[in-house]
Amino acid sequence: SQKIEQNSEALNIQEGKTATLTCNYTNYSPAYLQWYRQDPGRGPVFLLLIRENEKEKRKERLKVTFDTTLKQSLFHITASQPADSATYLCALALTGGGNKLTFGTGTQLKVEL
Amino acid sequence: GAGVSQTPSNKVTEKGKYVELRCDPISGHTALYWYRQSLGQGPEFLIYFQGTGAADDSGLPNDRFFAVRPEGSVSTLKIQRTERGDSAVYLCASSLMGQHPNEQFFGPGTRLTVL
C-alpha cells in the first residue's frame, strides 16, 4: 500500500541548533515534493518545492533534500528559533496527477530557548 | 483580501443535516482544491477544480459530498445527510495552474462539527 511517513513524535530542539525532519514514502513515484508549515488553527503555508530530478534546494535557513532511490526527503532548519515551532508537513504530487497533493501526517517541532 | 478565505470558520450541525462550506480563492487562481484534515493527521485530498470543471474528484468519500465552482472562482462544498465521521477541518487551497508544480495557498479552514 502507499504510505507517507513522518516522525509521529514531536521533535524538541534547542534554539540555534539545526532541526532535521524526515519524510519517507513507499509505493509512490512523485514528480515533486513540497514542504509546508502549519500553525495551530491555520491552514498550511508553502515553504519549498523540490522536483524528482533535483537533489537539494535551499531558501534562507531552510534546506530540502530529495533522494528518489531511498524514497526520502529531509527538511533542515538551521539556526532554529522559537518562532520556527510549528507542524511541518511533507506532500507528494504524482506524475500525471495534476497538482493534487498527498500529505504526510506532519511532525511537530518545538524550539526551546 | 489577498488570501484564500473560507466561510464559515466554524459550523456545528446535527447528524443528518445538510451543510455548505464556501471558499473564495485568490483572484486569478484557476486551480482550486478541497482537502479535509482530521486531528493529528495531514490534509486529505477531496476534489480539484481547473476553472469551472472538476478535474479530479477521486477523493470525495461518497455521494453525500459534492462541490461546485460555477463561475470558476468561488467554490462551495456541499455535504448531505451529515454523519459524525464528517467532523473535521475542511481546507480550501488555490494555485495559479493545476498542471504544473505550483505552491498551493491555503485558507484558514472551516471546522465542521457534527453532533
Side-chain angles (χ1 to χ4, degrees):
Chain A
S1 63
Q2 296 176 319
K3 278 195 297 188
I4 302 172
E5 294 180 320
Q6 297 186 252
N7 313 46
S8 56
E9 293 184 9
L11 178 64
N12 296 331
I13 65 165
Q14 212 171 13
E15 183 180 21
K17 302 292 186 185
T18 296
T20 298
L21 285 68
T22 306
C23 176
N24 294 298
Y25 59 92
T26 54
N27 295 323
Y28 282 107
S29 295
Y32 56 93
L33 185 148
Q34 299 185 11
W35 283 88
Y36 285 78
R37 168 185 173 138
Q38 188 172 28
D39 292 283
R42 314 283 293 265
V45 174
F46 172 80
L47 296 174
L48 280 169
L49 178 155
I50 187 164
R51 298 170 190 260
E52 60 178 335
N53 60 351
E54 296 175 319
K55 296 290 186 189
E56 184 179 296
K57 268 280 186 68
R58 291 175 184 259
K59 179 182 175 184
E60 297 172 353
R61 295 185 295 113
L62 309 181
K63 184 177 86 170
V64 171
T65 63
F66 194 11
D67 189 325
T68 54
T69 301
L70 290 179
K71 297 186 184 298
Q72 180 181 78
S73 175
L74 298 179
F75 177 79
H76 306 271
I77 306 175
T78 58
S80 59
Q81 305 165 0
D84 295 326
S85 298
T87 295
Y88 290 86
L89 298 156
C90 74
L92 305 183
L94 306 181
T95 304
N99 208 19
K100 173 177 83 174
L101 295 177
T102 303
F103 283 86
T105 54
T107 297
Q108 186 177 7
L109 172 68
K110 292 182 184 175
V111 181
E112 298 163 338
L113 293 169
Chain B
V4 176
S5 62
Q6 293 186 247
T7 54
S9 55
N10 278 285
K11 177 71 177 178
V12 180
T13 190
E14 292 179 343
K15 181 174 178 295
K17 298 289 188 184
Y18 167 83
V19 296
E20 290 189 351
L21 311 179
R22 177 188 167 105
C23 172
D24 278 271
I26 292 172
S27 177
H29 280 193
T30 58
L32 184 145
Y33 311 81
W34 283 99
Y35 294 86
R36 176 168 73 173
Q37 187 172 27
S38 299
L39 193 63
Q41 302 296 313
E44 173 193 19
F45 171 79
L46 296 176
I47 186 170
Y48 143 56
F49 288 89
Q50 181 63 31
T52 60
D56 185 341
D57 65 357
S58 60
L60 294 177
N62 51 59
D63 61 5
R64 295 187 296 105
F65 288 75
F66 189 71
V68 296
R69 195 186 185 199
E71 297 178 357
S73 177
V74 170
S75 176
T76 304
L77 178 65
K78 308 180 181 194
I79 311 175
Q80 297 178 323
R81 306 183 303 281
T82 51
E83 299 177 356
R84 292 194 180 89
D86 298 335
S87 297
V89 175
Y90 288 80
L91 294 164
C92 175
S94 68
S95 69
L96 276 171
M97 288 186 289
Q99 291 300 320
H100 299 269
N102 282 308
E103 62 180 285
Q104 294 186 18
F105 294 81
F106 282 81
T110 293
R111 181 175 298 278
L112 175 66
T113 303
V114 182
L115 301 176

Short mmCIF file of all heavy atoms in Angstrom, two decimals, chain A residues 31-32 34 36 38 41-47 49 51 87 89 93 96-106, chain B residues 33 35 37 40-45 48 56 58 91 95 97-109 111:
data_model
loop_
_atom_site.label_atom_id
_atom_site.label_comp_id
_atom_site.label_asym_id
_atom_site.label_seq_id
_atom_site.Cartn_x
_atom_site.Cartn_y
_atom_site.Cartn_z
N ALA A 31 6.40 13.22 -8.77
CA ALA A 31 7.01 14.14 -9.72
C ALA A 31 7.75 15.23 -8.95
O ALA A 31 8.77 15.74 -9.40
CB ALA A 31 5.93 14.76 -10.60
N TYR A 32 7.21 15.59 -7.79
CA TYR A 32 7.87 16.56 -6.95
C TYR A 32 7.30 16.46 -5.54
O TYR A 32 6.29 15.80 -5.30
CB TYR A 32 7.74 17.98 -7.50
CG TYR A 32 6.34 18.46 -7.72
CD1 TYR A 32 5.67 19.18 -6.74
CD2 TYR A 32 5.70 18.23 -8.92
CE1 TYR A 32 4.38 19.62 -6.94
CE2 TYR A 32 4.40 18.66 -9.15
CZ TYR A 32 3.76 19.36 -8.15
OH TYR A 32 2.49 19.80 -8.36
N GLN A 34 6.71 18.77 -1.81
CA GLN A 34 6.63 20.09 -1.20
C GLN A 34 6.65 19.96 0.32
O GLN A 34 6.22 18.95 0.88
CB GLN A 34 5.33 20.79 -1.61
CG GLN A 34 5.19 21.02 -3.12
CD GLN A 34 3.97 21.83 -3.48
OE1 GLN A 34 3.31 22.40 -2.63
NE2 GLN A 34 3.66 21.89 -4.76
N TYR A 36 5.38 22.09 3.78
CA TYR A 36 4.50 23.13 4.29
C TYR A 36 4.67 23.26 5.80
O TYR A 36 4.97 22.28 6.48
CB TYR A 36 3.03 22.81 3.99
CG TYR A 36 2.63 23.00 2.54
CD1 TYR A 36 2.95 22.05 1.58
CD2 TYR A 36 1.93 24.14 2.14
CE1 TYR A 36 2.59 22.23 0.26
CE2 TYR A 36 1.56 24.32 0.81
CZ TYR A 36 1.89 23.36 -0.12
OH TYR A 36 1.53 23.55 -1.43
N GLN A 38 2.49 24.39 9.24
CA GLN A 38 1.14 24.64 9.72
C GLN A 38 1.16 25.01 11.20
O GLN A 38 1.69 24.27 12.02
CB GLN A 38 0.24 23.42 9.50
CG GLN A 38 -1.24 23.70 9.82
CD GLN A 38 -2.14 22.56 9.41
OE1 GLN A 38 -1.74 21.41 9.36
NE2 GLN A 38 -3.41 22.88 9.09
N GLY A 41 -4.68 26.00 14.22
CA GLY A 41 -5.83 26.78 13.80
C GLY A 41 -5.67 27.49 12.47
O GLY A 41 -6.52 28.30 12.09
N ARG A 42 -4.58 27.23 11.77
CA ARG A 42 -4.32 27.89 10.49
C ARG A 42 -4.17 26.85 9.39
O ARG A 42 -3.93 25.66 9.63
CB ARG A 42 -3.03 28.70 10.56
CG ARG A 42 -2.86 29.57 11.78
CD ARG A 42 -3.66 30.84 11.78
NE ARG A 42 -3.25 31.79 10.78
CZ ARG A 42 -2.41 32.80 11.00
NH1 ARG A 42 -1.86 32.96 12.17
NH2 ARG A 42 -2.13 33.66 10.04
N GLY A 43 -4.28 27.31 8.14
CA GLY A 43 -4.02 26.44 7.02
C GLY A 43 -2.53 26.31 6.78
O GLY A 43 -1.73 27.13 7.24
N PRO A 44 -2.10 25.26 6.07
CA PRO A 44 -0.68 25.09 5.76
C PRO A 44 -0.15 26.25 4.92
O PRO A 44 -0.88 26.82 4.11
CB PRO A 44 -0.64 23.78 4.97
CG PRO A 44 -1.88 23.05 5.36
CD PRO A 44 -2.90 24.12 5.59
N VAL A 45 1.14 26.55 5.12
CA VAL A 45 1.82 27.59 4.35
C VAL A 45 2.99 26.97 3.62
O VAL A 45 3.82 26.28 4.23
CB VAL A 45 2.31 28.73 5.27
CG1 VAL A 45 3.14 29.75 4.48
CG2 VAL A 45 1.12 29.43 5.93
N PHE A 46 3.06 27.19 2.32
CA PHE A 46 4.11 26.63 1.48
C PHE A 46 5.48 27.13 1.89
O PHE A 46 5.68 28.33 2.16
CB PHE A 46 3.83 26.99 0.02
CG PHE A 46 4.94 26.63 -0.92
CD1 PHE A 46 5.08 25.34 -1.39
CD2 PHE A 46 5.85 27.58 -1.33
CE1 PHE A 46 6.10 25.00 -2.27
CE2 PHE A 46 6.89 27.26 -2.20
CZ PHE A 46 7.00 25.97 -2.67
N LEU A 47 6.47 26.21 1.89
CA LEU A 47 7.84 26.58 2.21
C LEU A 47 8.77 26.34 1.01
O LEU A 47 9.44 27.25 0.54
CB LEU A 47 8.34 25.79 3.41
CG LEU A 47 7.61 26.06 4.73
CD1 LEU A 47 8.12 25.10 5.81
CD2 LEU A 47 7.80 27.50 5.17
N LEU A 49 9.63 23.63 -2.64
CA LEU A 49 9.27 22.58 -3.57
C LEU A 49 10.55 22.02 -4.18
O LEU A 49 11.47 22.78 -4.50
CB LEU A 49 8.37 23.18 -4.67
CG LEU A 49 7.89 22.28 -5.81
CD1 LEU A 49 6.60 22.84 -6.38
CD2 LEU A 49 8.91 22.18 -6.94
N ARG A 51 11.87 19.06 -7.15
CA ARG A 51 11.44 18.15 -8.21
C ARG A 51 12.20 16.83 -8.12
O ARG A 51 13.26 16.74 -7.50
CB ARG A 51 11.68 18.78 -9.57
CG ARG A 51 10.88 20.05 -9.79
CD ARG A 51 11.31 20.77 -11.06
NE ARG A 51 10.72 22.10 -11.13
CZ ARG A 51 9.67 22.39 -11.86
NH1 ARG A 51 9.07 21.45 -12.58
NH2 ARG A 51 9.19 23.62 -11.88
N THR A 87 4.01 22.68 13.11
CA THR A 87 3.96 21.36 12.50
C THR A 87 4.40 21.49 11.04
O THR A 87 3.96 22.40 10.34
CB THR A 87 2.55 20.77 12.58
OG1 THR A 87 2.21 20.54 13.95
CG2 THR A 87 2.46 19.44 11.83
N LEU A 89 4.69 19.66 7.35
CA LEU A 89 4.05 18.63 6.53
C LEU A 89 4.82 18.45 5.24
O LEU A 89 5.18 19.43 4.59
CB LEU A 89 2.62 19.06 6.17
CG LEU A 89 1.64 19.26 7.31
CD1 LEU A 89 0.52 20.19 6.89
CD2 LEU A 89 1.06 17.92 7.75
N ALA A 93 3.36 15.14 -5.02
CA ALA A 93 2.50 15.28 -6.19
C ALA A 93 2.98 14.26 -7.20
O ALA A 93 4.18 14.15 -7.46
CB ALA A 93 2.59 16.68 -6.76
N GLY A 96 1.38 13.11 -13.62
CA GLY A 96 0.05 12.93 -14.21
C GLY A 96 -1.08 13.16 -13.24
O GLY A 96 -2.25 12.97 -13.58
N GLY A 97 -0.77 13.54 -12.02
CA GLY A 97 -1.81 13.74 -11.01
C GLY A 97 -2.23 15.17 -10.86
O GLY A 97 -2.87 15.52 -9.86
N GLY A 98 -1.90 16.00 -11.85
CA GLY A 98 -2.19 17.41 -11.70
C GLY A 98 -1.37 17.96 -10.56
O GLY A 98 -0.24 17.53 -10.32
N ASN A 99 -1.91 18.88 -9.83
CA ASN A 99 -1.20 19.45 -8.69
C ASN A 99 -1.79 18.92 -7.39
O ASN A 99 -1.56 19.48 -6.33
CB ASN A 99 -1.30 20.97 -8.74
CG ASN A 99 -0.11 21.64 -8.06
OD1 ASN A 99 0.93 21.04 -7.87
ND2 ASN A 99 -0.29 22.89 -7.69
N LYS A 100 -2.54 17.81 -7.49
CA LYS A 100 -3.14 17.21 -6.30
C LYS A 100 -2.04 16.74 -5.36
O LYS A 100 -1.10 16.07 -5.79
CB LYS A 100 -4.00 16.03 -6.74
CG LYS A 100 -4.58 15.19 -5.62
CD LYS A 100 -5.47 14.10 -6.19
CE LYS A 100 -4.72 12.89 -6.62
NZ LYS A 100 -5.63 11.80 -7.04
N LEU A 101 -2.13 17.08 -4.10
CA LEU A 101 -1.09 16.73 -3.12
C LEU A 101 -1.58 15.63 -2.18
O LEU A 101 -2.72 15.63 -1.75
CB LEU A 101 -0.69 17.96 -2.31
CG LEU A 101 -0.03 19.09 -3.08
CD1 LEU A 101 0.23 20.28 -2.16
CD2 LEU A 101 1.27 18.63 -3.72
N THR A 102 -0.66 14.73 -1.87
CA THR A 102 -0.88 13.71 -0.84
C THR A 102 0.05 14.04 0.30
O THR A 102 1.27 14.06 0.12
CB THR A 102 -0.60 12.31 -1.39
OG1 THR A 102 -1.42 12.08 -2.54
CG2 THR A 102 -0.90 11.26 -0.34
N PHE A 103 -0.52 14.30 1.47
CA PHE A 103 0.24 14.78 2.61
C PHE A 103 0.61 13.66 3.57
O PHE A 103 -0.12 12.68 3.73
CB PHE A 103 -0.59 15.81 3.41
CG PHE A 103 -0.64 17.18 2.79
CD1 PHE A 103 -1.59 17.47 1.84
CD2 PHE A 103 0.26 18.16 3.17
CE1 PHE A 103 -1.65 18.73 1.27
CE2 PHE A 103 0.21 19.43 2.62
CZ PHE A 103 -0.75 19.72 1.66
N GLY A 104 1.75 13.86 4.24
CA GLY A 104 2.08 13.04 5.39
C GLY A 104 1.32 13.56 6.61
O GLY A 104 0.58 14.54 6.52
N THR A 105 1.54 12.90 7.75
CA THR A 105 0.80 13.28 8.96
C THR A 105 1.41 14.50 9.65
O THR A 105 0.78 15.09 10.52
CB THR A 105 0.77 12.12 9.96
OG1 THR A 105 2.12 11.70 10.20
CG2 THR A 105 -0.02 10.94 9.42
N GLY A 106 2.62 14.86 9.25
CA GLY A 106 3.25 16.03 9.85
C GLY A 106 4.09 15.69 11.07
O GLY A 106 3.85 14.70 11.77
N TYR B 33 -8.66 23.64 -4.79
CA TYR B 33 -8.61 22.31 -4.18
C TYR B 33 -9.37 22.32 -2.86
O TYR B 33 -9.33 23.31 -2.12
CB TYR B 33 -7.16 21.92 -3.87
CG TYR B 33 -6.20 22.11 -5.01
CD1 TYR B 33 -5.67 23.37 -5.29
CD2 TYR B 33 -5.83 21.03 -5.82
CE1 TYR B 33 -4.80 23.55 -6.35
CE2 TYR B 33 -4.96 21.21 -6.87
CZ TYR B 33 -4.46 22.47 -7.14
OH TYR B 33 -3.60 22.66 -8.20
N TYR B 35 -9.53 19.99 0.66
CA TYR B 35 -8.92 18.94 1.48
C TYR B 35 -9.71 18.85 2.79
O TYR B 35 -10.39 19.79 3.19
CB TYR B 35 -7.46 19.28 1.83
CG TYR B 35 -6.50 19.32 0.66
CD1 TYR B 35 -6.35 20.48 -0.09
CD2 TYR B 35 -5.73 18.21 0.31
CE1 TYR B 35 -5.46 20.54 -1.16
CE2 TYR B 35 -4.83 18.26 -0.75
CZ TYR B 35 -4.71 19.42 -1.48
OH TYR B 35 -3.83 19.47 -2.53
N GLN B 37 -9.02 17.70 6.92
CA GLN B 37 -7.97 17.38 7.87
C GLN B 37 -8.58 16.99 9.21
O GLN B 37 -9.29 17.78 9.84
CB GLN B 37 -7.02 18.57 8.06
CG GLN B 37 -5.80 18.26 8.91
CD GLN B 37 -4.78 19.38 8.91
OE1 GLN B 37 -5.11 20.55 8.73
NE2 GLN B 37 -3.51 19.04 9.13
N GLY B 40 -4.59 15.58 14.18
CA GLY B 40 -3.36 14.79 14.20
C GLY B 40 -2.98 14.18 12.86
O GLY B 40 -2.01 13.41 12.79
N GLN B 41 -3.72 14.53 11.84
CA GLN B 41 -3.46 13.99 10.50
C GLN B 41 -3.10 15.12 9.53
O GLN B 41 -3.35 16.29 9.81
CB GLN B 41 -4.69 13.25 9.97
CG GLN B 41 -5.15 12.11 10.84
CD GLN B 41 -4.12 11.02 10.92
OE1 GLN B 41 -3.57 10.58 9.91
NE2 GLN B 41 -3.83 10.56 12.13
N GLY B 42 -2.51 14.74 8.40
CA GLY B 42 -2.29 15.72 7.35
C GLY B 42 -3.55 15.92 6.54
O GLY B 42 -4.49 15.13 6.63
N PRO B 43 -3.61 16.98 5.75
CA PRO B 43 -4.77 17.19 4.88
C PRO B 43 -4.94 16.02 3.90
O PRO B 43 -3.96 15.47 3.39
CB PRO B 43 -4.43 18.48 4.14
CG PRO B 43 -3.46 19.19 5.03
CD PRO B 43 -2.66 18.10 5.68
N GLU B 44 -6.20 15.67 3.65
CA GLU B 44 -6.55 14.58 2.76
C GLU B 44 -7.30 15.16 1.56
O GLU B 44 -8.31 15.86 1.74
CB GLU B 44 -7.42 13.58 3.52
CG GLU B 44 -8.01 12.46 2.71
CD GLU B 44 -9.10 11.74 3.47
OE1 GLU B 44 -9.65 12.29 4.45
OE2 GLU B 44 -9.44 10.62 3.06
N PHE B 45 -6.81 14.90 0.37
CA PHE B 45 -7.40 15.45 -0.85
C PHE B 45 -8.85 15.00 -1.05
O PHE B 45 -9.17 13.82 -0.85
CB PHE B 45 -6.56 15.02 -2.05
CG PHE B 45 -7.17 15.36 -3.38
CD1 PHE B 45 -7.10 16.63 -3.89
CD2 PHE B 45 -7.82 14.37 -4.12
CE1 PHE B 45 -7.66 16.93 -5.12
CE2 PHE B 45 -8.38 14.66 -5.35
CZ PHE B 45 -8.31 15.95 -5.86
N TYR B 48 -10.50 18.61 -6.93
CA TYR B 48 -9.70 19.66 -7.51
C TYR B 48 -10.43 20.19 -8.75
O TYR B 48 -10.91 19.42 -9.57
CB TYR B 48 -8.31 19.10 -7.81
CG TYR B 48 -7.59 19.55 -9.05
CD1 TYR B 48 -7.34 20.90 -9.29
CD2 TYR B 48 -7.12 18.61 -9.96
CE1 TYR B 48 -6.66 21.29 -10.42
CE2 TYR B 48 -6.43 19.00 -11.08
CZ TYR B 48 -6.20 20.34 -11.32
OH TYR B 48 -5.52 20.73 -12.44
N ASP B 56 -10.56 16.41 -10.95
CA ASP B 56 -10.29 15.17 -10.20
C ASP B 56 -11.13 15.19 -8.94
O ASP B 56 -10.91 16.03 -8.09
CB ASP B 56 -8.79 15.09 -9.87
CG ASP B 56 -8.39 13.78 -9.20
OD1 ASP B 56 -9.26 13.07 -8.66
OD2 ASP B 56 -7.19 13.49 -9.20
N SER B 58 -11.59 12.26 -7.18
CA SER B 58 -11.36 10.91 -6.68
C SER B 58 -11.30 10.83 -5.16
O SER B 58 -11.40 9.75 -4.59
CB SER B 58 -10.06 10.35 -7.27
OG SER B 58 -8.96 11.17 -6.90
N LEU B 91 -10.33 22.30 4.42
CA LEU B 91 -9.40 23.30 3.91
C LEU B 91 -9.60 23.50 2.42
O LEU B 91 -9.80 22.54 1.67
CB LEU B 91 -7.96 22.85 4.16
CG LEU B 91 -7.49 22.76 5.61
CD1 LEU B 91 -6.21 21.94 5.70
CD2 LEU B 91 -7.27 24.14 6.18
N SER B 95 -4.28 27.72 -6.56
CA SER B 95 -2.97 27.92 -7.17
C SER B 95 -3.18 28.48 -8.57
O SER B 95 -4.28 28.42 -9.13
CB SER B 95 -2.15 26.63 -7.21
OG SER B 95 -2.69 25.70 -8.11
N MET B 97 -2.07 27.47 -11.51
CA MET B 97 -2.47 26.49 -12.51
C MET B 97 -2.49 25.13 -11.87
O MET B 97 -1.88 24.90 -10.84
CB MET B 97 -1.47 26.49 -13.67
CG MET B 97 -1.54 27.72 -14.55
SD MET B 97 -0.45 27.55 -15.97
CE MET B 97 1.13 27.69 -15.18
N GLY B 98 -3.16 24.19 -12.48
CA GLY B 98 -3.28 22.88 -11.87
C GLY B 98 -2.30 21.86 -12.38
O GLY B 98 -2.01 20.89 -11.71
N GLN B 99 -1.76 22.07 -13.55
CA GLN B 99 -0.97 21.01 -14.16
C GLN B 99 0.52 21.21 -13.98
O GLN B 99 1.31 20.43 -14.48
CB GLN B 99 -1.30 20.91 -15.66
CG GLN B 99 -2.70 20.39 -15.90
CD GLN B 99 -2.92 19.02 -15.32
OE1 GLN B 99 -2.06 18.16 -15.38
NE2 GLN B 99 -4.08 18.81 -14.71
N HIS B 100 0.91 22.25 -13.31
CA HIS B 100 2.33 22.49 -13.12
C HIS B 100 2.63 22.53 -11.63
O HIS B 100 1.77 22.85 -10.84
CB HIS B 100 2.73 23.81 -13.79
CG HIS B 100 2.51 23.82 -15.26
ND1 HIS B 100 3.48 23.43 -16.15
CD2 HIS B 100 1.43 24.12 -16.00
CE1 HIS B 100 2.99 23.51 -17.38
NE2 HIS B 100 1.75 23.93 -17.32
N PRO B 101 3.86 22.21 -11.26
CA PRO B 101 4.17 22.26 -9.83
C PRO B 101 4.11 23.68 -9.30
O PRO B 101 5.05 24.44 -9.48
CB PRO B 101 5.57 21.68 -9.75
CG PRO B 101 6.16 21.87 -11.10
CD PRO B 101 5.02 21.79 -12.06
N ASN B 102 3.00 24.02 -8.71
CA ASN B 102 2.84 25.33 -8.11
C ASN B 102 2.53 25.20 -6.64
O ASN B 102 1.88 24.25 -6.23
CB ASN B 102 1.67 26.08 -8.77
CG ASN B 102 2.05 26.66 -10.10
OD1 ASN B 102 3.04 27.36 -10.23
ND2 ASN B 102 1.26 26.36 -11.11
N GLU B 103 2.98 26.16 -5.89
CA GLU B 103 2.63 26.16 -4.49
C GLU B 103 1.13 26.38 -4.37
O GLU B 103 0.52 27.08 -5.19
CB GLU B 103 3.39 27.23 -3.73
CG GLU B 103 3.09 28.65 -4.19
CD GLU B 103 3.87 29.67 -3.40
OE1 GLU B 103 3.50 29.92 -2.24
OE2 GLU B 103 4.83 30.23 -3.95
N GLN B 104 0.56 25.79 -3.36
CA GLN B 104 -0.86 25.97 -3.09
C GLN B 104 -1.00 26.92 -1.91
O GLN B 104 -0.27 26.83 -0.93
CB GLN B 104 -1.52 24.63 -2.80
CG GLN B 104 -1.52 23.72 -4.02
CD GLN B 104 -2.28 22.44 -3.85
OE1 GLN B 104 -3.11 22.30 -2.94
NE2 GLN B 104 -2.03 21.48 -4.72
N PHE B 105 -1.96 27.83 -2.03
CA PHE B 105 -2.23 28.80 -0.98
C PHE B 105 -3.50 28.34 -0.27
O PHE B 105 -4.56 28.24 -0.89
CB PHE B 105 -2.44 30.19 -1.58
CG PHE B 105 -1.20 30.75 -2.23
CD1 PHE B 105 -0.84 30.38 -3.51
CD2 PHE B 105 -0.38 31.63 -1.54
CE1 PHE B 105 0.31 30.88 -4.12
CE2 PHE B 105 0.77 32.14 -2.13
CZ PHE B 105 1.12 31.77 -3.41
N PHE B 106 -3.35 28.08 1.01
CA PHE B 106 -4.47 27.54 1.79
C PHE B 106 -5.22 28.62 2.54
O PHE B 106 -4.63 29.61 3.00
CB PHE B 106 -3.96 26.51 2.81
CG PHE B 106 -3.64 25.18 2.22
CD1 PHE B 106 -2.43 24.95 1.58
CD2 PHE B 106 -4.56 24.14 2.29
CE1 PHE B 106 -2.14 23.70 1.03
CE2 PHE B 106 -4.28 22.89 1.75
CZ PHE B 106 -3.07 22.68 1.11
N GLY B 107 -6.51 28.39 2.68
CA GLY B 107 -7.32 29.21 3.57
C GLY B 107 -7.21 28.71 4.99
O GLY B 107 -6.54 27.70 5.25
N PRO B 108 -7.86 29.40 5.93
CA PRO B 108 -7.77 29.01 7.35
C PRO B 108 -8.60 27.79 7.70
O PRO B 108 -8.44 27.21 8.77
CB PRO B 108 -8.30 30.24 8.08
CG PRO B 108 -9.22 30.89 7.09
CD PRO B 108 -8.64 30.62 5.73
N GLY B 109 -9.49 27.40 6.78
CA GLY B 109 -10.30 26.21 7.03
C GLY B 109 -11.65 26.51 7.68
O GLY B 109 -11.85 27.57 8.27
N ARG B 111 -14.03 24.59 10.42
CA ARG B 111 -14.12 23.47 11.35
C ARG B 111 -15.57 23.02 11.42
O ARG B 111 -16.44 23.77 11.88
CB ARG B 111 -13.62 23.87 12.74
CG ARG B 111 -13.67 22.73 13.76
CD ARG B 111 -13.06 23.14 15.10
NE ARG B 111 -11.65 23.48 14.95
CZ ARG B 111 -10.67 22.59 14.93
NH1 ARG B 111 -10.94 21.32 15.06
NH2 ARG B 111 -9.42 23.00 14.80
#
